[in-house]
């Protein structure tokens, strides 16, 4: 699935690890020549391998779609280096005008591009095929393979039967092809109301697979379509449209998730019937199913995601706590980390749960080597260096990245008043606490090194009327500055970070955690809303080193000690960044 995978020299058609059962299928088809030397209707050669990513534009894509995107586009990229070539079509399955919107369509294309994939000239819409789909429906009617049913939706449902009982034939099933064709054309011409008639395939009402019991393939819907306007008042259903679209686009391997496994016989029936009627020629597409992504502490149901947005449990589709692509992008995830995650979890035929920590670790592994370092104090406590002149400052520096000396240093000043983390001071230190604490009896206060600065020793603290500690006092050792010869004379166990109070940049920082406190928030009979984590978002004012003032939207940093943060793409302004915590330095979820 990696875009950078290279074909193996072991055998023709072999592709480098990681492997999966879909690669084995494709390798077998290439070896057998199943899709070799194919041509289109104009007799022009087409790739041996064609996959597709066909989402419905009725919502924003989520991390589960990312797995499918990386799989389909990744396979095409890997196999494109072999003789015959490969490509992945981008198709918007826009057959339901009631739920679909141009906003969703645009967001889907943006998400695929952001993940690093391109479809070139091969962007399609199911609505492109409305004329052909209608034409094929008439051919099926004329050949006795489809009929217009005038039962109500409730009667159709009741007469389908169940797993233990065969369905009943519709009283309209025996209509002649001529009657059906007349009715279907009148449906097209707008002579009936929604729900008066539907078009069904004539298969077998006693079939053990309920999907095959004369499925509905067209319904009346007097609703304008966002691409075709009011041209149509009948629209094809997914199961009919999808397989025909694959065949029209010469898709070789139609890859979908396991919930469509039951529908595969219908997929095969439709394309085989149209092949027998001379519409398509061999080889026709074949459907393959893989396990969808189940991620802990997450829901991916479009209906439930929509509920979270509409009921204001979150702050829009791009809320960084949502698993939507726009949400995880705003959280600070990178395209590279998502592709790495999808590669690591692999592809299987069996459903399983992937722990959220796997996704988080992919981001850490991606950013560790390329995110510049910075200092941020998230729980600020004033530190006053009593023996340092308040009218002066001492220049200090630190590397932008410890493994990239060519990136240079970041510059800042040591001053009399600093901000440190409140957790770095204890009034009554516990055993093993090697940071700052006041003198105890004859024992001096805690001694630490301020990173890239001086060694200091705590001399005391100040509290407010409520007993809250508001200031720590200390003295510094002038010959202990980091990088100078004298600094080696000081051996301390504590090493803490800091920023100058005089030049630090105050900034809004959003600390995000899992949206749900339950790893399986919608399993069983649970109400997923009951599992919402009340502490999933916390807003604080932090103090950042001065260079962070210039951070631009989507700039990513490692705030040393705290984790990886990103300048929010929506709320950051020039000179006033807002930061989101993307992930901590290690898995700290309890």
């Amino acid at each position: 699935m990696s875009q950078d995978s290279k074909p193996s020299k072991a055998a023709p058609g072999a592709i480098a690890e990681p492997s999966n059962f879909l690669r084995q299928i494709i390798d077998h088809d290439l070896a057998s020549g199943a899709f070799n030397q194919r041509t289109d209707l104009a007799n022009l050669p087409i790739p041996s391998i064609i996959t597709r990513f066909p989402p419905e534009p009725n919502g924003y894509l989520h991390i589960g779609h990312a797995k499918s995107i990386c799989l389909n586009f990744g396979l095409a990229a890997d196999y494109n280096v072999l003789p015959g070539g490969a490509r992945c079509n981008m198709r918007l399955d826009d057959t339901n005008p009631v739920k679909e919107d141009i906003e969703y369509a645009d967001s889907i294309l943006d998400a695929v591009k952001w993940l690093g994939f391109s479809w070139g000239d091969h962007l399609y819409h199911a609505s492109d095929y409305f004329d052909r789909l209608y034409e094929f429906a008439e051919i099926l009617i004329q050949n006795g393979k489809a009929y217009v049913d005038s039962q109500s939706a409730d009667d159709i449902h009741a007469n389908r039967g169940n797993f233990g009982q065969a369905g009943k034939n519709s009283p309209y099933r025996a209509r002649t092809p001529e009657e059906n064709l007349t009715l279907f054309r009148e449906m097209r011409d707008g002579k009936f109301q929604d729900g008066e008639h539907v078009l069904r395939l004539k298969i077998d009402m006693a079939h053990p697979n309920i999907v095959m019991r004369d499925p509905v393939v067209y319904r009346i819907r007097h609703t304008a379509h966002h691409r075709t306007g009011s041209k149509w008042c009948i629209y094809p259903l997914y199961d009919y449209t999808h397989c025909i679209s694959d065949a029209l686009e010469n898709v070789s391997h139609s890859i979908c998730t396991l919930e469509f496994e039951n529908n595969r016989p219908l997929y095969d029936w439709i394309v085989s019937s149209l092949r027998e009627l001379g519409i398509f020629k061999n080889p026709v597409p074949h459907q393959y199913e893989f396990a969808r992504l189940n991620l802990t502490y997450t829901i991916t149901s479009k209906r439930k995601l929509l509920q979270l947005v509409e009921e204001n449990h979150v702050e829009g589709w791009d809320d960084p706590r949502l698993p939507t692509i726009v949400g995880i992008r705003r959280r600070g995830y990178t395209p590279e980390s998502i592709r790495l995650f999808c590669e690591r979890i692999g592809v299987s035929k069996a459903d399983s749960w992937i722990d959220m920590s796997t996704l988080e670790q992919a981001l850490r592994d991606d950013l560790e080597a390329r995110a510049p370092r910075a200092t941020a104090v998230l729980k600020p406590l004033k530190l006053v260096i009593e023996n340092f002149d308040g009218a002066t400052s001492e220049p200090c520096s630190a590397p932008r990245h410890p493994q990239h000396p060519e990136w240079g240093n970041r510059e800042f000043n040591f001053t009399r008043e600093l901000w440190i983390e409140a957790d770095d001071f204890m009034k009554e230190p516990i055993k093993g606490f090697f940071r700052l604490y006041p003198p105890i009896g004859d024992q001096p206060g805690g001694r630490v090194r301020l990173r890239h600065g001086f060694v200091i020793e705590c001399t005391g603290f100040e509290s407010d009327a409520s007993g809250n500690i508001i200031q720590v006092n200390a003295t510094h050792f002038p010959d202990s500055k980091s990088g100078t010869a004298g600094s080696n004379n000081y051996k301390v166990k504590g090493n803490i970070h800091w920023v100058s109070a005089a030049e630090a940049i105050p900034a809004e920082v959003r600390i995000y955690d899992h949206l749900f406190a339950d790893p399986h928030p919608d399993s069983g009979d649970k109400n997923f809303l009951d599992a919402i984590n009340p502490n999933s978002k916390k807003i604080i004012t932090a103090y950042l080193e001065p260079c962070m003032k210039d951070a631009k939207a989507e700039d990513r940093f490692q705030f040393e000690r705290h984790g990886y943060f990103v300048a929010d793409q929506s709320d950051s302004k020039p000179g006033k960044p807002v930061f989101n915590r993307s992930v901590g330095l290690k898995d700290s979820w309890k």
Side-chain angles (χ1 to χ4, degrees), residues 96-140:
N96 187 349
V98 173
K99 295 184 177 180
E100 295 160 1
D101 192 275
I102 192 67
E103 173 190 351
Y104 297 140
D106 290 344
S107 74
I108 288 169
L109 301 181
D110 287 343
V112 176
K113 289 178 183 176
W114 178 75
L115 282 169
F117 299 105
S118 173
W119 49 84
D121 296 328
H122 301 285
L123 171 62
Y124 304 102
H125 299 77
S127 56
D128 294 337
Y129 310 129
F130 279 171
D131 289 314
R132 303 293 302 279
L133 291 163
Y134 177 84
E135 173 191 341
F136 298 159
E138 284 205 353
I139 292 173
L140 290 170

Tab-separated table of all heavy atoms in Angstrom, residues 96-140:
chain	number	residue	atom	x	y	z
A	96	ASN	N	-28.249	9.548	-4.660
A	96	ASN	CA	-29.322	9.881	-3.720
A	96	ASN	C	-29.365	11.378	-3.484
A	96	ASN	O	-28.677	11.905	-2.604
A	96	ASN	CB	-29.104	9.141	-2.396
A	96	ASN	CG	-30.278	9.314	-1.442
A	96	ASN	OD1	-31.168	10.135	-1.675
A	96	ASN	ND2	-30.285	8.546	-0.373
A	97	PRO	N	-30.169	12.111	-4.244
A	97	PRO	CA	-30.152	13.574	-4.152
A	97	PRO	C	-30.661	14.119	-2.818
A	97	PRO	O	-30.417	15.273	-2.491
A	97	PRO	CB	-31.072	14.007	-5.300
A	97	PRO	CG	-31.992	12.848	-5.498
A	97	PRO	CD	-31.160	11.623	-5.219
A	98	VAL	N	-31.359	13.294	-2.035
A	98	VAL	CA	-31.908	13.771	-0.766
A	98	VAL	C	-30.807	14.015	0.254
A	98	VAL	O	-30.831	14.982	1.011
A	98	VAL	CB	-32.945	12.762	-0.212
A	98	VAL	CG1	-33.395	13.176	1.181
A	98	VAL	CG2	-34.134	12.664	-1.151
A	99	LYS	N	-29.793	13.134	0.291
A	99	LYS	CA	-28.769	13.195	1.332
A	99	LYS	C	-27.458	13.812	0.864
A	99	LYS	O	-26.583	14.087	1.687
A	99	LYS	CB	-28.487	11.787	1.866
A	99	LYS	CG	-29.661	11.155	2.586
A	99	LYS	CD	-29.259	9.798	3.156
A	99	LYS	CE	-30.403	9.167	3.940
A	99	LYS	NZ	-30.017	7.848	4.495
A	100	GLU	N	-27.310	14.057	-0.425
A	100	GLU	CA	-26.010	14.458	-0.947
A	100	GLU	C	-25.911	15.966	-1.128
A	100	GLU	O	-26.916	16.661	-1.294
A	100	GLU	CB	-25.742	13.725	-2.267
A	100	GLU	CG	-25.609	12.219	-2.058
A	100	GLU	CD	-25.831	11.414	-3.321
A	100	GLU	OE1	-26.065	12.020	-4.379
A	100	GLU	OE2	-25.776	10.178	-3.235
A	101	ASP	N	-24.659	16.444	-1.110
A	101	ASP	CA	-24.454	17.885	-1.183
A	101	ASP	C	-23.094	18.157	-1.806
A	101	ASP	O	-22.142	17.392	-1.633
A	101	ASP	CB	-24.511	18.491	0.227
A	101	ASP	CG	-24.604	20.008	0.191
A	101	ASP	OD1	-23.539	20.643	0.090
A	101	ASP	OD2	-25.727	20.552	0.258
A	102	ILE	N	-22.988	19.279	-2.519
A	102	ILE	CA	-21.723	19.649	-3.157
A	102	ILE	C	-20.640	19.905	-2.124
A	102	ILE	O	-19.453	19.682	-2.372
A	102	ILE	CB	-21.927	20.895	-4.068
A	102	ILE	CG1	-20.711	21.120	-4.959
A	102	ILE	CG2	-22.270	22.117	-3.248
A	102	ILE	CD1	-20.486	20.050	-5.988
A	103	GLU	N	-21.039	20.347	-0.921
A	103	GLU	CA	-20.060	20.558	0.150
A	103	GLU	C	-19.357	19.251	0.491
A	103	GLU	O	-18.137	19.217	0.654
A	103	GLU	CB	-20.767	21.102	1.402
A	103	GLU	CG	-19.861	21.186	2.636
A	103	GLU	CD	-20.619	21.488	3.911
A	103	GLU	OE1	-21.827	21.802	3.834
A	103	GLU	OE2	-20.012	21.411	4.993
A	104	TYR	N	-20.135	18.175	0.586
A	104	TYR	CA	-19.543	16.883	0.898
A	104	TYR	C	-18.664	16.399	-0.254
A	104	TYR	O	-17.582	15.837	-0.037
A	104	TYR	CB	-20.635	15.856	1.183
A	104	TYR	CG	-21.481	16.167	2.396
A	104	TYR	CD1	-22.862	15.948	2.377
A	104	TYR	CD2	-20.919	16.670	3.555
A	104	TYR	CE1	-23.652	16.215	3.493
A	104	TYR	CE2	-21.700	16.940	4.671
A	104	TYR	CZ	-23.056	16.711	4.634
A	104	TYR	OH	-23.834	16.979	5.735
A	105	ALA	N	-19.125	16.604	-1.472
A	105	ALA	CA	-18.345	16.174	-2.632
A	105	ALA	C	-16.983	16.870	-2.662
A	105	ALA	O	-15.943	16.234	-2.870
A	105	ALA	CB	-19.114	16.464	-3.921
A	106	ASP	N	-16.980	18.178	-2.447
A	106	ASP	CA	-15.721	18.926	-2.443
A	106	ASP	C	-14.811	18.454	-1.319
A	106	ASP	O	-13.584	18.342	-1.490
A	106	ASP	CB	-15.997	20.426	-2.300
A	106	ASP	CG	-16.636	21.030	-3.538
A	106	ASP	OD1	-16.585	20.385	-4.606
A	106	ASP	OD2	-17.195	22.139	-3.438
A	107	SER	N	-15.389	18.185	-0.143
A	107	SER	CA	-14.572	17.766	0.995
A	107	SER	C	-13.930	16.405	0.744
A	107	SER	O	-12.796	16.155	1.175
A	107	SER	CB	-15.421	17.715	2.271
A	107	SER	OG	-16.291	16.589	2.289
A	108	ILE	N	-14.626	15.530	0.031
A	108	ILE	CA	-14.080	14.208	-0.288
A	108	ILE	C	-12.856	14.339	-1.185
A	108	ILE	O	-11.809	13.727	-0.940
A	108	ILE	CB	-15.160	13.340	-0.956
A	108	ILE	CG1	-16.212	12.920	0.086
A	108	ILE	CG2	-14.543	12.114	-1.626
A	108	ILE	CD1	-17.446	12.278	-0.511
A	109	LEU	N	-12.975	15.142	-2.228
A	109	LEU	CA	-11.845	15.313	-3.146
A	109	LEU	C	-10.662	15.960	-2.429
A	109	LEU	O	-9.507	15.572	-2.645
A	109	LEU	CB	-12.278	16.144	-4.346
A	109	LEU	CG	-13.435	15.564	-5.183
A	109	LEU	CD1	-13.741	16.480	-6.364
A	109	LEU	CD2	-13.103	14.162	-5.660
A	110	ASP	N	-10.935	16.929	-1.571
A	110	ASP	CA	-9.860	17.574	-0.809
A	110	ASP	C	-9.158	16.564	0.097
A	110	ASP	O	-7.927	16.594	0.238
A	110	ASP	CB	-10.421	18.722	0.036
A	110	ASP	CG	-10.811	19.935	-0.788
A	110	ASP	OD1	-10.362	20.021	-1.947
A	110	ASP	OD2	-11.554	20.786	-0.279
A	111	ALA	N	-9.938	15.674	0.715
A	111	ALA	CA	-9.358	14.691	1.634
A	111	ALA	C	-8.431	13.732	0.903
A	111	ALA	O	-7.347	13.408	1.386
A	111	ALA	CB	-10.474	13.925	2.351
A	112	VAL	N	-8.855	13.262	-0.258
A	112	VAL	CA	-8.020	12.319	-1.017
A	112	VAL	C	-6.722	13.000	-1.460
A	112	VAL	O	-5.635	12.422	-1.371
A	112	VAL	CB	-8.797	11.759	-2.222
A	112	VAL	CG1	-7.901	10.862	-3.072
A	112	VAL	CG2	-10.030	10.987	-1.751
A	113	LYS	N	-6.830	14.246	-1.923
A	113	LYS	CA	-5.628	14.988	-2.312
A	113	LYS	C	-4.704	15.191	-1.117
A	113	LYS	O	-3.485	15.043	-1.226
A	113	LYS	CB	-6.020	16.346	-2.892
A	113	LYS	CG	-6.680	16.289	-4.252
A	113	LYS	CD	-7.082	17.697	-4.710
A	113	LYS	CE	-7.813	17.680	-6.029
A	113	LYS	NZ	-8.279	19.047	-6.426
A	114	TRP	N	-5.290	15.549	0.034
A	114	TRP	CA	-4.475	15.796	1.223
A	114	TRP	C	-3.720	14.544	1.645
A	114	TRP	O	-2.564	14.623	2.070
A	114	TRP	CB	-5.368	16.280	2.370
A	114	TRP	CG	-4.607	16.509	3.647
A	114	TRP	CD1	-3.772	17.546	3.929
A	114	TRP	CD2	-4.605	15.669	4.806
A	114	TRP	NE1	-3.236	17.406	5.198
A	114	TRP	CE2	-3.742	16.267	5.746
A	114	TRP	CE3	-5.252	14.476	5.128
A	114	TRP	CZ2	-3.507	15.694	7.013
A	114	TRP	CZ3	-5.028	13.909	6.370
A	114	TRP	CH2	-4.164	14.514	7.289
A	115	LEU	N	-4.339	13.390	1.465
A	115	LEU	CA	-3.670	12.139	1.822
A	115	LEU	C	-2.543	11.798	0.852
A	115	LEU	O	-1.782	10.862	1.108
A	115	LEU	CB	-4.684	10.991	1.877
A	115	LEU	CG	-5.544	10.941	3.143
A	115	LEU	CD1	-6.673	9.939	2.973
A	115	LEU	CD2	-4.699	10.604	4.357
A	116	GLY	N	-2.426	12.545	-0.224
A	116	GLY	CA	-1.286	12.379	-1.114
A	116	GLY	C	-1.561	11.601	-2.378
A	116	GLY	O	-0.623	11.147	-3.040
A	117	PHE	N	-2.831	11.461	-2.746
A	117	PHE	CA	-3.161	10.647	-3.914
A	117	PHE	C	-3.796	11.500	-5.015
A	117	PHE	O	-4.399	12.540	-4.749
A	117	PHE	CB	-4.115	9.518	-3.522
A	117	PHE	CG	-3.522	8.578	-2.513
A	117	PHE	CD1	-3.919	8.619	-1.189
A	117	PHE	CD2	-2.539	7.673	-2.880
A	117	PHE	CE1	-3.367	7.763	-0.246
A	117	PHE	CE2	-1.974	6.812	-1.958
A	117	PHE	CZ	-2.394	6.861	-0.632
A	118	SER	N	-3.646	11.020	-6.244
A	118	SER	CA	-4.159	11.750	-7.400
A	118	SER	C	-4.856	10.777	-8.343
A	118	SER	O	-4.437	9.633	-8.495
A	118	SER	CB	-3.013	12.455	-8.133
A	118	SER	OG	-3.462	13.031	-9.345
A	119	TRP	N	-5.928	11.231	-8.959
A	119	TRP	CA	-6.672	10.400	-9.904
A	119	TRP	C	-6.461	10.855	-11.345
A	119	TRP	O	-7.032	10.285	-12.268
A	119	TRP	CB	-8.161	10.438	-9.572
A	119	TRP	CG	-8.676	11.830	-9.375
A	119	TRP	CD1	-9.096	12.700	-10.341
A	119	TRP	CD2	-8.780	12.543	-8.143
A	119	TRP	NE1	-9.465	13.903	-9.792
A	119	TRP	CE2	-9.289	13.830	-8.435
A	119	TRP	CE3	-8.507	12.220	-6.808
A	119	TRP	CZ2	-9.520	14.786	-7.444
A	119	TRP	CZ3	-8.739	13.170	-5.827
A	119	TRP	CH2	-9.242	14.436	-6.149
A	120	GLY	N	-5.654	11.891	-11.557
A	120	GLY	CA	-5.390	12.349	-12.914
A	120	GLY	C	-6.663	12.764	-13.620
A	120	GLY	O	-7.434	13.582	-13.117
A	121	ASP	N	-6.904	12.177	-14.792
A	121	ASP	CA	-8.100	12.493	-15.577
A	121	ASP	C	-9.274	11.578	-15.239
A	121	ASP	O	-10.290	11.592	-15.936
A	121	ASP	CB	-7.795	12.359	-17.076
A	121	ASP	CG	-6.741	13.362	-17.538
A	121	ASP	OD1	-6.702	14.466	-16.968
A	121	ASP	OD2	-5.974	13.033	-18.459
A	122	HIS	N	-9.127	10.778	-14.195
A	122	HIS	CA	-10.116	9.731	-13.950
A	122	HIS	C	-10.983	10.031	-12.740
A	122	HIS	O	-11.061	9.255	-11.788
A	122	HIS	CB	-9.414	8.378	-13.824
A	122	HIS	CG	-8.633	8.025	-15.046
A	122	HIS	ND1	-9.236	7.599	-16.214
A	122	HIS	CD2	-7.294	8.082	-15.303
A	122	HIS	CE1	-8.301	7.400	-17.136
A	122	HIS	NE2	-7.117	7.694	-16.613
A	123	LEU	N	-11.636	11.188	-12.799
A	123	LEU	CA	-12.666	11.543	-11.827
A	123	LEU	C	-14.022	11.288	-12.479
A	123	LEU	O	-14.317	11.808	-13.557
A	123	LEU	CB	-12.543	13.012	-11.418
A	123	LEU	CG	-13.691	13.572	-10.575
A	123	LEU	CD1	-13.802	12.835	-9.239
A	123	LEU	CD2	-13.515	15.072	-10.352
A	124	TYR	N	-14.846	10.486	-11.812
A	124	TYR	CA	-16.151	10.128	-12.356
A	124	TYR	C	-17.230	10.370	-11.307
A	124	TYR	O	-16.962	10.474	-10.112
A	124	TYR	CB	-16.167	8.659	-12.781
A	124	TYR	CG	-15.084	8.300	-13.775
A	124	TYR	CD1	-13.922	7.639	-13.372
A	124	TYR	CD2	-15.218	8.633	-15.119
A	124	TYR	CE1	-12.923	7.312	-14.281
A	124	TYR	CE2	-14.230	8.310	-16.040
A	124	TYR	CZ	-13.073	7.654	-15.612
A	124	TYR	OH	-12.103	7.339	-16.516
A	125	HIS	N	-18.457	10.436	-11.786
A	125	HIS	CA	-19.626	10.531	-10.925
A	125	HIS	C	-20.633	9.481	-11.395
A	125	HIS	O	-20.808	9.282	-12.606
A	125	HIS	CB	-20.284	11.912	-11.005
A	125	HIS	CG	-19.394	13.041	-10.565
A	125	HIS	ND1	-18.391	13.548	-11.370
A	125	HIS	CD2	-19.363	13.753	-9.400
A	125	HIS	CE1	-17.787	14.538	-10.720
A	125	HIS	NE2	-18.353	14.678	-9.540
A	126	ALA	N	-21.278	8.835	-10.442
A	126	ALA	CA	-22.325	7.884	-10.834
A	126	ALA	C	-23.400	8.587	-11.655
A	126	ALA	O	-23.996	7.993	-12.566
A	126	ALA	CB	-22.927	7.240	-9.595
A	127	SER	N	-23.619	9.869	-11.352
A	127	SER	CA	-24.627	10.614	-12.111
A	127	SER	C	-24.225	10.805	-13.566
A	127	SER	O	-25.083	11.105	-14.410
A	127	SER	CB	-24.878	11.971	-11.454
A	127	SER	OG	-23.671	12.713	-11.312
A	128	ASP	N	-22.931	10.633	-13.885
A	128	ASP	CA	-22.511	10.664	-15.290
A	128	ASP	C	-23.204	9.565	-16.093
A	128	ASP	O	-23.335	9.674	-17.321
A	128	ASP	CB	-20.993	10.445	-15.400
A	128	ASP	CG	-20.176	11.563	-14.788
A	128	ASP	OD1	-20.702	12.679	-14.664
A	128	ASP	OD2	-19.006	11.314	-14.439
A	129	TYR	N	-23.601	8.499	-15.380
A	129	TYR	CA	-24.106	7.307	-16.053
A	129	TYR	C	-25.623	7.186	-15.990
A	129	TYR	O	-26.173	6.136	-16.351
A	129	TYR	CB	-23.485	6.052	-15.417
A	129	TYR	CG	-21.982	6.112	-15.291
A	129	TYR	CD1	-21.351	5.839	-14.087
A	129	TYR	CD2	-21.189	6.458	-16.386
A	129	TYR	CE1	-19.972	5.894	-13.966
A	129	TYR	CE2	-19.810	6.523	-16.276
A	129	TYR	CZ	-19.201	6.238	-15.065
A	129	TYR	OH	-17.835	6.304	-14.940
A	130	PHE	N	-26.335	8.222	-15.561
A	130	PHE	CA	-27.790	8.105	-15.416
A	130	PHE	C	-28.461	7.686	-16.726
A	130	PHE	O	-29.385	6.866	-16.737
A	130	PHE	CB	-28.387	9.421	-14.915
A	130	PHE	CG	-28.261	9.630	-13.428
A	130	PHE	CD1	-28.584	10.857	-12.858
A	130	PHE	CD2	-27.832	8.612	-12.590
A	130	PHE	CE1	-28.479	11.064	-11.492
A	130	PHE	CE2	-27.726	8.798	-11.220
A	130	PHE	CZ	-28.044	10.025	-10.671
A	131	ASP	N	-28.009	8.247	-17.840
A	131	ASP	CA	-28.615	7.878	-19.132
A	131	ASP	C	-28.360	6.403	-19.450
A	131	ASP	O	-29.275	5.693	-19.892
A	131	ASP	CB	-28.070	8.761	-20.252
A	131	ASP	CG	-28.577	10.196	-20.169
A	131	ASP	OD1	-29.783	10.388	-19.967
A	131	ASP	OD2	-27.749	11.122	-20.282
A	132	ARG	N	-27.114	5.970	-19.228
A	132	ARG	CA	-26.771	4.573	-19.522
A	132	ARG	C	-27.498	3.627	-18.571
A	132	ARG	O	-27.969	2.551	-18.984
A	132	ARG	CB	-25.253	4.351	-19.400
A	132	ARG	CG	-24.405	5.244	-20.285
A	132	ARG	CD	-24.590	4.921	-21.775
A	132	ARG	NE	-24.271	3.550	-22.127
A	132	ARG	CZ	-23.028	3.100	-22.346
A	132	ARG	NH1	-21.987	3.916	-22.214
A	132	ARG	NH2	-22.829	1.840	-22.692
A	133	LEU	N	-27.577	4.002	-17.313
A	133	LEU	CA	-28.256	3.158	-16.329
A	133	LEU	C	-29.725	2.983	-16.688
A	133	LEU	O	-30.284	1.877	-16.566
A	133	LEU	CB	-28.126	3.782	-14.930
A	133	LEU	CG	-26.710	3.776	-14.333
A	133	LEU	CD1	-26.606	4.754	-13.181
A	133	LEU	CD2	-26.336	2.371	-13.878
A	134	TYR	N	-30.327	4.071	-17.135
A	134	TYR	CA	-31.725	3.979	-17.567
A	134	TYR	C	-31.846	3.079	-18.801
A	134	TYR	O	-32.749	2.229	-18.887
A	134	TYR	CB	-32.291	5.368	-17.863
A	134	TYR	CG	-33.704	5.308	-18.379
A	134	TYR	CD1	-34.778	5.227	-17.493
A	134	TYR	CD2	-33.969	5.292	-19.750
A	134	TYR	CE1	-36.080	5.131	-17.962
A	134	TYR	CE2	-35.265	5.190	-20.220
A	134	TYR	CZ	-36.311	5.114	-19.331
A	134	TYR	OH	-37.604	4.996	-19.803
A	135	GLU	N	-30.940	3.271	-19.732
A	135	GLU	CA	-30.958	2.453	-20.959
A	135	GLU	C	-30.840	0.969	-20.620
A	135	GLU	O	-31.572	0.132	-21.163
A	135	GLU	CB	-29.791	2.886	-21.854
A	135	GLU	CG	-29.579	2.028	-23.083
A	135	GLU	CD	-28.256	2.346	-23.770
A	135	GLU	OE1	-27.687	3.438	-23.525
A	135	GLU	OE2	-27.786	1.483	-24.540
A	136	PHE	N	-29.931	0.627	-19.703
A	136	PHE	CA	-29.744	-0.779	-19.336
A	136	PHE	C	-30.977	-1.313	-18.610
A	136	PHE	O	-31.341	-2.491	-18.764
A	136	PHE	CB	-28.514	-0.938	-18.447
A	136	PHE	CG	-27.228	-0.532	-19.124
A	136	PHE	CD1	-26.110	-0.201	-18.366
A	136	PHE	CD2	-27.119	-0.481	-20.504
A	136	PHE	CE1	-24.926	0.176	-18.965
A	136	PHE	CE2	-25.941	-0.107	-21.128
A	136	PHE	CZ	-24.829	0.229	-20.350
A	137	ALA	N	-31.639	-0.467	-17.820
A	137	ALA	CA	-32.862	-0.900	-17.139
A	137	ALA	C	-33.931	-1.267	-18.156
A	137	ALA	O	-34.646	-2.275	-17.989
A	137	ALA	CB	-33.355	0.200	-16.200
A	138	GLU	N	-34.054	-0.476	-19.208
A	138	GLU	CA	-35.038	-0.812	-20.250
A	138	GLU	C	-34.692	-2.146	-20.915
A	138	GLU	O	-35.577	-2.949	-21.217
A	138	GLU	CB	-35.101	0.305	-21.293
A	138	GLU	CG	-35.861	1.540	-20.834
A	138	GLU	CD	-36.436	2.329	-22.015
A	138	GLU	OE1	-36.125	1.974	-23.182
A	138	GLU	OE2	-37.228	3.272	-21.776
A	139	ILE	N	-33.400	-2.375	-21.134
A	139	ILE	CA	-32.993	-3.641	-21.753
A	139	ILE	C	-33.336	-4.814	-20.844
A	139	ILE	O	-33.818	-5.861	-21.304
A	139	ILE	CB	-31.485	-3.606	-22.075
A	139	ILE	CG1	-31.212	-2.589	-23.191
A	139	ILE	CG2	-30.982	-4.990	-22.470
A	139	ILE	CD1	-29.745	-2.349	-23.458
A	140	LEU	N	-33.133	-4.655	-19.545
A	140	LEU	CA	-33.482	-5.716	-18.600
A	140	LEU	C	-34.990	-5.961	-18.600
A	140	LEU	O	-35.445	-7.114	-18.548
A	140	LEU	CB	-32.998	-5.359	-17.199
A	140	LEU	CG	-31.482	-5.369	-16.983
A	140	LEU	CD1	-31.124	-4.768	-15.631
A	140	LEU	CD2	-30.930	-6.798	-17.092
